């Protein structure tokens, strides 16, 4: 008699996602009801993609990316906690960052990029807080296109720390699906973990995955 080791729910979810993404077939596509249908036809809820994205993102740069799951109603507290934990006193933010993201900040100065902050002003901040255009579960990548709550590229290239808010419904399965959704004429920035030593971009990347 062969005994089968028990598999917990998270492992089973990740197995299903990896299996579906590993076919090399067409990109995932959204289905009604918040599900995503991957190439082999396995229906996966958004939470499945969020789990894979978190795992892949945390692997970048030898685990140098911090990833946390938070509820929508706790996002303001999560942002404040992340900044306090790093001793951050001043951040740069896009002019249209949602108020709720920063509502719980105490003792942290938020500089809105409107009018545009000079490069030396950005360099004097401890980090930046932005949203993203979408994220890719297959590669653990976040993509910014300068849209709402993202700001211009300098906000995430100059400061040494980047806190990025990723909504679970922004996570897609594969790179081809991401490319299909993105406008090619926008200034796209693809971020897969912090850059290597001496590279361009923030030296610390932290992701907050927001689940409704």
């Amino acid at each position: 008699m062969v005994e089968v080791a028990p598999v917990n729910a998270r492992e089973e979810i990740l197995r299903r996602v990896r299996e579906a993404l590993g076919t090399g077939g067409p990109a995932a596509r959204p289905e009604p009801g918040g599900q995503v249908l991957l190439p082999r036809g396995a229906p996966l809820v958004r939470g499945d993609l969020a789990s894979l994205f978190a795992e892949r993102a945390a692997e970048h740069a030898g685990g140098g990316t911090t990833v946390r799951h938070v509820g929508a109603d706790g996002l303001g507290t999560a942002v404040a906690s992340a900044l306090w934990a790093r001793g951050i006193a001043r951040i740069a933010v896009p002019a249209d960052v949602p108020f709720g993201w920063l509502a719980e900040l105490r003792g942290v100065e938020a500089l809105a990029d409107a009018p545009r902050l000079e490069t030396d002003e950005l360099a004097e901040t401890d980090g930046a807080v932005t949203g993203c255009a979408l994220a890719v579960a297959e590669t653990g990548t976040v993509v910014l296109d300068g849209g709402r709550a993202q700001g211009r590229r300098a906000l995430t290239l100059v400061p040494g720390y980047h806190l990025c808010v990723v909504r679970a419904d922004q996570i897609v399965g594969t790179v081809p699906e991401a490319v299909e959704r993105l406008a090619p004429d926008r200034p796209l920035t693809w971020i897969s973990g912090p850059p290597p030593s001496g590279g361009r971009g923030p030296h610390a990347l932290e992701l907050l995955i927001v689940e409704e």
Side-chain angles (χ1 to χ4, degrees):
M1 179 177 180
V2 178
E3 293 185 2
V4 179
V7 177
N8 64 39
R10 179 177 181 277
E11 289 174 344
E12 175 61 19
I13 287 172
L14 293 176
R15 183 196 65 75
R16 290 169 53 206
V17 180
R18 291 193 197 96
E19 183 180 76
L21 291 176
T23 64
R29 64 180 187 276
E31 291 291 317
Q35 291 189 330
V36 171
L37 196 63
L38 291 167
R40 287 188 180 177
L44 298 170
V45 297
R46 289 291 179 186
D48 297 345
L49 290 179
S51 294
L52 181 62
F53 170 71
E55 181 184 71
R56 293 288 170 82
E59 292 172 352
H60 290 310
T65 299
T66 302
V67 184
R68 287 191 292 154
H69 294 263
V70 301
D73 57 352
L75 179 56
T77 300
V79 169
S81 297
L83 299 179
W84 292 335
R86 293 176 180 268
I88 287 177
R90 178 183 296 175
I91 58 170
V93 298
D96 58 352
V97 67
F99 173 77
W101 293 11
L102 311 178
E104 302 301 321
L105 288 186
R106 302 292 185 273
V108 179
E109 181 182 6
L111 303 179
D113 192 36
R116 289 192 171 192
L117 299 168
E118 299 293 336
T119 301
D120 58 347
E121 291 179 294
L122 284 175
E124 291 175 357
T125 65
D126 299 313
V129 177
T130 77
C132 67
L134 52 77
V136 185
E138 182 180 37
T139 59
T141 302
V142 292
V143 186
L144 281 67
D145 66 0
R148 183 174 183 270
Q150 298 168 60
R152 56 193 173 106
R153 281 179 171 171
L155 284 182
T156 56
L157 293 179
V158 177
Y161 165 73
H162 180 198
L163 178 61
C164 185
V165 176
V166 182
R167 298 194 318 271
D169 63 8
Q170 290 180 303
I171 302 173
V172 300
T174 64
V175 171
E177 183 184 1
V179 171
E180 183 178 324
R181 293 191 181 191
L182 294 165
D185 58 341
R186 296 191 66 86
L188 302 178
T189 301
W190 297 69
I191 304 173
S192 296
S197 179
R200 188 179 183 189
H203 300 298
L205 175 65
E206 187 160 1
L207 304 173
L208 296 179
I209 302 175
V210 184
E211 314 219 25
E212 298 295 337

